[in-house]
Amino acid sequence: MRVPNDTTDRLTPMGVMVLALLSEGDMHPYEMVRLMRARRDERLLSITNGTLYHTVGRLQRSGLLEEVGTDREGNRPERTTYTLTDAGKDALLRWLRRELSSIDRPTEFRIALAEAHNLERRDVIENLRVRRDALAEAHVSHRDGLTGARHKNVPEQVLVEFERQEVLLEAELRWLDSLLDRLASESFPWGPDAFEYSDRYRAQRKAAQQ
């Protein structure tokens, strides 16, 4: 199937989560939903069965995943299992790189950060440094804007949102510097090959498959 050139641009946050789940192994949509809820992914995006099934269908039509089999147990509905295609993996990694370096899409950044372990350490460091430069520029702009406004005696009550944003930018810069320091150390495990499939993870996957 031909994959559109703008696949990455068209990925939704839910689509990214589905592709990231399939990077862990083949699974059916019911397992995906249960895993996302078990991992408390509702903190990142709204999870509904309808949205997820619709997303799976759209990703399949785009050639980012494909069916690998169906099964039926007892009176349960038939379940279709999907696998990640090479195009799907490429789209996932390109989306993660783009959103890790951007500062204007906070929801997408949170999801990219949650799934950043799918990227190699060098990739993460490189894209977070781009983000840091943009954050530093935004912080200086907000700080200088506040200073200028106060010199002009602009009432504080109309500056509270600007003040909040300046504080948040400063805090995120401190956090990001800390993360980059940890990533620079090989003692901090990172990347697809560093993920340990613990007993807890295996139990979680088994429960989601029921």
Side-chain angles (χ1 to χ4, degrees):
M1 177 180 293
R2 185 178 67 85
V3 179
N5 292 329
D6 62 346
T7 298
T8 302
D9 292 335
R10 294 169 58 190
L11 277 178
T12 63
M14 176 64 79
V16 171
M17 297 294 284
V18 168
L19 295 180
L21 282 171
L22 289 176
S23 71
E24 301 178 23
D26 301 346
M27 61 182 75
H28 50 72
Y30 182 70
E31 181 182 357
M32 297 177 197
V33 170
R34 296 194 66 178
L35 272 176
M36 283 194 281
R37 287 176 176 158
R39 296 172 180 179
R40 303 294 187 268
D41 287 337
E42 290 102 331
R43 74 191 191 283
L44 301 174
L45 76 171
S46 175
I47 300 172
T48 67
N49 290 11
T51 300
L52 186 134
Y53 278 85
H54 174 77
T55 298
V56 168
R58 186 167 48 79
L59 293 173
Q60 182 182 17
R61 290 190 295 273
S62 296
L64 304 185
L65 53 81
E66 60 187 17
E67 295 182 16
V68 290
T70 58
D71 64 84
R72 183 193 297 273
E73 294 184 14
N75 295 324
R76 294 175 179 172
E78 188 177 79
R79 293 174 178 173
T80 302
T81 299
Y82 295 89
T83 193
L84 186 67
T85 64
D86 289 341
K89 181 176 181 181
D90 180 66
L92 170 65
L93 299 184
R94 285 189 286 115
W95 190 94
L96 293 176
R97 293 184 187 108
R98 185 187 71 189
E99 297 304 332
L100 280 177
S101 61
S102 301
I103 66 170
D104 56 347
R105 291 181 290 274
T107 297
E108 284 80 356
F109 174 70
R110 292 184 67 197
I111 292 173
L113 192 62
E115 299 298 342
H117 56 269
N118 288 285
L119 295 171
E120 298 292 348
R121 185 190 305 268
R122 181 181 61 185
D123 251 354
V124 177
I125 292 173
E126 178 181 337
N127 286 284
L128 286 181
R129 282 177 175 165
V130 172
R131 178 182 178 82
R132 194 212 179 279
D133 290 344
L135 283 173
E137 183 177 346
H139 177 245
V140 169
S141 176
H142 273 76
R143 184 193 62 198
D144 292 350
L146 274 171
T147 299
R150 284 167 176 153
H151 283 164
K152 295 176 181 177
N153 296 317
V154 174
E156 286 290 326
Q157 61 184 339
V158 302
L159 296 178
V160 290
E161 193 280 328
F162 291 95
E163 183 180 64
R164 172 184 179 274
Q165 185 64 14
E166 192 269 331
V167 170
L168 291 176
L169 287 166
E170 183 179 15
E172 184 167 359
L173 279 168
R174 289 197 302 269
W175 168 81
L176 190 50
D177 284 339
S178 173
L179 176 58
L180 286 167
D181 285 344
R182 284 185 287 164
L183 285 167
S185 172
E186 292 296 330
S187 64
F188 184 45
W190 192 266
D193 297 331
F195 186 80
E196 295 183 1
Y197 288 91
S198 64
D199 291 342
R200 182 177 180 276
Y201 171 81
R202 293 189 181 92
Q204 190 181 58
R205 282 292 306 272
K206 184 177 181 180
Q209 292 166 357
Q210 302 304 311

